[in-house]
Amino acid sequence: LVANIFILAFLIISISYSALQKNLPRIGEINYGDEHRKCLALNVYFEARNQPIRGQMAVAYVTLNRVNDMRFPKTICEVVKQGKYYGNSPRRDKCQFSFWCDGRSDKPKNITAWNNARKIADRVLNNYGKPKKDMTRGALYYHANYVKPDWSKFNLEHSVTIGSHIFYKVKGERN
């Protein structure tokens, strides 16, 4: 009886996962306030300010694709700040996005690049979920082309390369 309950629960969870993913609210349908817009802009600024506009937008799309995926935290700031922590402090070099726990200031210094990152964050938030806008094709991961992280070798497929970033999605998943 217990084994049957476990099997039934596993089947329900497995079948429901895809349905739940499709029924998640679209990012564009949620009114994200200033804090979350700032988190997205910080991610664009620190992860991609040296990239072409399309590459900066792609980093923003990866962030929002993660918010829209049940395997990641539910809000923009939680996704951006995801990592291993000691109490309230992120462990150095143990975060999803390297800038968050690199030990350096997270205050933008280049005002022009910061204003650009804020505009890109707003633009991507306002267009998320619209057909043919996500140039990453649903990517959840990326890295710079001058590194080869171990995680990029497992269960991921190349989605697109933009600027010096290589974007990946989970093998077999559609955008």
Side-chain angles (χ1 to χ4, degrees), residues 32 36 63 66-67 72-81:
Y32 278 102
H36 291 283
T63 308
R66 287 182 178 196
V67 172
F72 293 92
K74 293 185 264 185
T75 71
I76 294 169
C77 288
E78 288 173 342
V79 164
V80 169
K81 298 175 183 180

Side-chain angles (χ1 to χ4, degrees), residues 8 14 25 34 47 51 60 75 100 103 113 123 137 150-151 158 166-167 173:
L8 181 60
S14 298
D34 291 343
E47 293 284 313
Q51 299 299 301
T75 71
W100 185 248
R123 181 176 174 189
R137 301 181 193 125
D150 288 338
W151 58 258
H158 176 262
I166 304 168
F167 294 85
E173 290 187 3

Side-chain angles (χ1 to χ4, degrees), residues 4-72:
N4 288 340
I5 292 172
F6 282 121
I7 291 169
L8 181 60
F10 176 77
L11 288 173
I12 290 170
I13 290 169
S14 298
I15 293 168
S16 299
Y17 179 77
S18 292
L20 284 171
Q21 283 293 99
K22 291 176 184 168
N23 292 324
L24 285 173
R26 287 299 202 192
I27 298 291
E29 296 170 4
I30 299 169
N31 182 15
Y32 278 102
D34 291 343
E35 177 189 1
H36 291 283
R37 288 177 183 275
K38 181 179 179 184
C39 285
L40 185 58
L42 283 170
N43 206 34
V44 170
Y45 176 86
F46 283 108
E47 293 284 313
R49 72 178 176 271
N50 65 339
Q51 299 299 301
I53 297 297
R54 196 167 136 79
Q56 293 177 54
M57 290 176 69
V59 166
Y61 270 100
V62 166
T63 308
L64 298 184
N65 289 343
R66 287 182 178 196
V67 172
N68 220 30
D69 188 295
M70 290 178 56
R71 293 169 283 203
F72 293 92

Side-chain angles (χ1 to χ4, degrees), residues 135-153:
M135 69 284 299
T136 73
R137 301 181 193 125
L140 295 172
Y141 306 92
Y142 68 90
H143 64 80
N145 61 7
Y146 51 85
V147 296
K148 293 186 180 177
D150 288 338
W151 58 258
S152 67
K153 300 171 190 162

Side-chain angles (χ1 to χ4, degrees), residues 5 7 10 25 31 54 57 86 100 104 118 124 131 156-157 160 162 164 169:
I5 292 172
I7 291 169
F10 176 77
N31 182 15
R54 196 167 136 79
M57 290 176 69
Y86 287 132
W100 185 248
R104 295 186 226 160
R118 289 174 45 210
V124 171
L156 298 176
E157 61 186 40
V160 67
I162 303 172
S164 62
K169 58 185 176 180

